[in-house]
């Protein structure tokens, strides 16, 4: 049986929000971590500064480069598993430049898969619930005081929700990930590269450094703390299941171990807080008001393109396969975020 202690893990996007949390938690448990990140995002720039300050272990190697160039490193890298997180998540910018986001996220994933097939190693791919498209908005909803609820009492969207045949927009970012997933499938079929695809919903936590276009819980917490205006798009009753990053890190550890031991070939999972951890935009603002003792300044704007009224992950499959359950509840997690904002 292989264990983490003898393994080298390559993390693309390893200085981003999820990547940095993973590096902090994983570095003492593995032989080495190879971080590949071009410091493209605001989060990575902030975390790079902390990385130099906080990380003293000698078993972490950092390559500052674009994943589009990862081919050049194939003889220098010796990982046993790749956790592929690098992507451009800014949905507002993505809508303005589809070509750019497809090149970065989709062609980027293709390059990472090329490396995995060259080295004959498995890969975990961070996809998104946005691949389901806003066909999900066709599920009838009822409007309550602070949130929308699904009329037919379904608890969450499972992996079986149809994504191919429905004609509905995903938005540029969702499209870039959907196409990436298709390339993952092709590489699995052609080169037998084991792949786990996690369709993540809202992940939040320390080191996210959110902005208007990304990391809304962090961005709201920062706005409340610094008495800045929060822009709410639509009614604010949109509902999401949210997952605290430490819970995701636990899952990624379990998945890495499973792949090292050839337990999975190709699997897709919906990963989020699930039905037990849902919040609406307005509810998060209320929680932040209670935590801070301040009244948030809110301004309403028209709904965003391809936005989902409700997205809640059905996490039964991932919970069963990895004996994994989110532990951190929204109020506790949001408090951690509020206290982390500088
Ligand atoms: N945070 C969430 O709520 C969420 C939800 C769904 C999916 N995801 C997925 O999880 C992954 C990680 O997200 P995150 O929240 O940590 O975002 P992030 O922006 O903090 O991290 C992404 C990292 O990738 C790096 N990067 C981007 N393009 C690159 C390139 N071409 N070459 C090298 N590095 C590059 C960035 O510099 C950054 O460090 C992404 O793939 C994202 O699509 C995240």
């Amino acid at each position: 049986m292989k264990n983490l202690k003898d393994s080298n893990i390559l993390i693309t996007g390893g200085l981003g929000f999820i990547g940095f949390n993973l590096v902090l938690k994983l570095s003492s448990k593995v032989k080495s971590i190879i971080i590949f990140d071009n410091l493209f995002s605001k989060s990575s720039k902030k975390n790079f500064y902390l990385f130099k300050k906080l990380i003293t272990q000698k078993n972490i190697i950092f390559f500052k480069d674009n994943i589009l160039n990862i081919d050049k490193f194939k003889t220098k890298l010796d990982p046993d598993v790749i956790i592929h997180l690098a992507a451009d998540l800014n949905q507002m910018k993505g809508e303005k430049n589809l070509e750019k986001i497809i090149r970065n996220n989709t062609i980027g994933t293709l390059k990472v898969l090329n490396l995995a097939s060259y080295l004959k190693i498995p890969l975990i791919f961070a996809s998104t619930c946005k691949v389901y498209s806003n066909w999900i908005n066709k599920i009838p909803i009822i409007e309550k005081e602070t949130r929308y609820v699904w009329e037919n009492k379904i608890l969450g969207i499972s992996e079986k929700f149809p994504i191919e045949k429905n004609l509905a927009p995903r938005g540029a970012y969702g499209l870039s990930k959907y196409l990436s997933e298709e390339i993952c499938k092709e590489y699995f079929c052609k080169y037998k590269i084991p792949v786990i695809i996690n369709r993540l919903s809202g992940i939040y936590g320390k080191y996210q450094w959110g902005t208007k276009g990304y990391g809304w819980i962090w961005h709201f917490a920062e706005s409340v703390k610094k008495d800045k205006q929060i822009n709410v798009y639509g009614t604010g009753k949109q509902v999401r299941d949210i997952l605290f990053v430490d819970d995701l890190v636990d899952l990624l550890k379990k998945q890495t171990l499973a792949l090292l031991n050839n337990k999975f070939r190709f699997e897709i999972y919906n990963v989020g807080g699930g039905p037990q951890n849902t919040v609406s935009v307005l509810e998060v603002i209320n929680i932040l008001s209670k935590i801070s003792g301040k009244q948030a300044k809110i301004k309403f704007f028209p709904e965003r393109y391809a936005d989902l009224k409700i997205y809640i992950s059905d996490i039964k499959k991932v919970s069963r396969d990895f004996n994994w359950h989110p532990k951190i509840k929204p109020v506790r997690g949001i408090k951690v975020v509020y206290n982390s904002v500088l």
Side-chain angles (χ1 to χ4, degrees), residues 95-296:
E95 290 313 326
K96 290 187 191 133
N97 198 336
L98 179 62
E99 192 180 327
K100 201 168 162 201
I101 199 162
I102 296 284
R103 196 178 315 117
N104 196 72
N105 296 359
T106 313
I107 305 299
T109 299
L110 171 75
K111 299 281 184 187
V112 175
L113 281 160
N114 275 341
L115 180 75
S117 65
Y118 173 82
L119 297 171
K120 299 191 173 43
I121 56 168
L123 175 123
I124 299 174
F125 172 54
S127 186
T128 169
C129 59
K130 300 270 178 338
V131 297
Y132 289 113
S133 83
N134 70 351
W135 190 260
I136 286 179
N137 284 344
K138 302 240 181 236
I139 303 172
I141 55 170
I142 306 170
E143 191 170 339
K144 299 264 174 152
E145 198 186 335
T146 62
R147 61 162 65 197
Y148 298 120
V149 294
W150 278 318
E151 198 180 283
N152 53 7
K153 299 202 168 40
I154 59 165
L155 289 176
I157 301 293
S158 89
E159 296 79 0
K160 290 186 187 126
F161 191 88
I163 67 170
E164 273 128 22
K165 55 178 191 263
N166 299 327
L167 198 55
R170 304 187 156 86
Y173 167 70
L175 177 62
S176 75
K177 291 284 182 171
Y178 170 72
L179 297 171
S180 303
E181 285 194 6
E182 291 301 305
I183 302 174
C184 287
K185 284 184 198 160
E186 196 65 23
Y187 269 65
F188 167 71
C189 296
K190 197 166 172 191
Y191 303 110
K192 306 284 171 270
I193 303 302
V195 180
I196 287 180
I197 295 177
N198 292 317
R199 290 183 179 152
L200 306 175
S201 60
I203 316 300
Y204 71 111
K206 280 175 92 169
Y207 311 118
Q208 188 162 27
W209 314 107
T211 58
K212 263 186 197 152
Y214 154 75
W216 63 283
I217 291 186
W218 178 287
H219 176 62
F220 283 12
E222 183 169 28
S223 303
V224 171
K225 203 160 193 174
K226 297 184 179 166
D227 301 310
K228 288 188 183 155
Q229 175 183 294
I230 296 176
N231 295 351
V232 173
Y233 297 90
T235 59
K237 295 185 182 184
Q238 301 94 309
V239 171
R240 298 288 182 269
D241 64 319
I242 57 172
L243 179 67
F244 195 72
V245 69
D246 292 9
D247 282 324
L248 177 62
V249 166
D250 282 347
L251 176 67
L252 291 171
K253 272 197 266 178
K254 288 179 177 217
Q255 292 181 331
T256 303
L257 200 55
L259 284 175
L260 283 169
N261 289 291
N262 306 317
K263 291 217 174 114
F264 290 89
R265 284 157 47 77
F266 185 92
E267 289 298 337
I268 297 180
Y269 295 103
N270 287 352
V271 176
Q276 309 296 324
N277 295 292
T278 65
V279 288
S280 76
V281 171
L282 295 180
E283 287 162 3
V284 168
I285 295 171
N286 285 340
I287 293 170
L288 283 165
S289 293
K290 283 200 185 115
I291 293 170
S292 63
K294 295 180 186 183
Q295 196 58 44

Side-chain angles (χ1 to χ4, degrees), residues 12-19 36-41 43-44 47 65-68 84-89 104-105 125-129 173 177 199-204 207-208 214:
T12 71
L15 287 181
F17 157 54
I18 296 173
F36 205 93
D37 197 308
N38 63 353
L39 304 188
F40 159 88
S41 68
S43 57
S44 62
N47 291 336
D65 210 322
N66 196 314
I67 46 169
L68 293 169
H84 174 38
L85 303 172
D88 180 355
L89 281 82
N104 196 72
N105 296 359
F125 172 54
S127 186
T128 169
C129 59
Y173 167 70
K177 291 284 182 171
R199 290 183 179 152
L200 306 175
S201 60
I203 316 300
Y204 71 111
Y207 311 118
Q208 188 162 27
Y214 154 75

Side-chain angles (χ1 to χ4, degrees), residues 159 198 243 251 254-255 264 268-277 313-327:
E159 296 79 0
N198 292 317
L243 179 67
L251 176 67
K254 288 179 177 217
Q255 292 181 331
F264 290 89
I268 297 180
Y269 295 103
N270 287 352
V271 176
Q276 309 296 324
N277 295 292
S313 323
D314 176 339
I315 55 171
K316 284 202 279 299
K317 182 179 175 196
V318 69
S319 298
R320 181 199 63 211
D321 283 5
F322 295 97
N323 188 22
W324 170 86
H325 306 275
K327 293 192 187 102

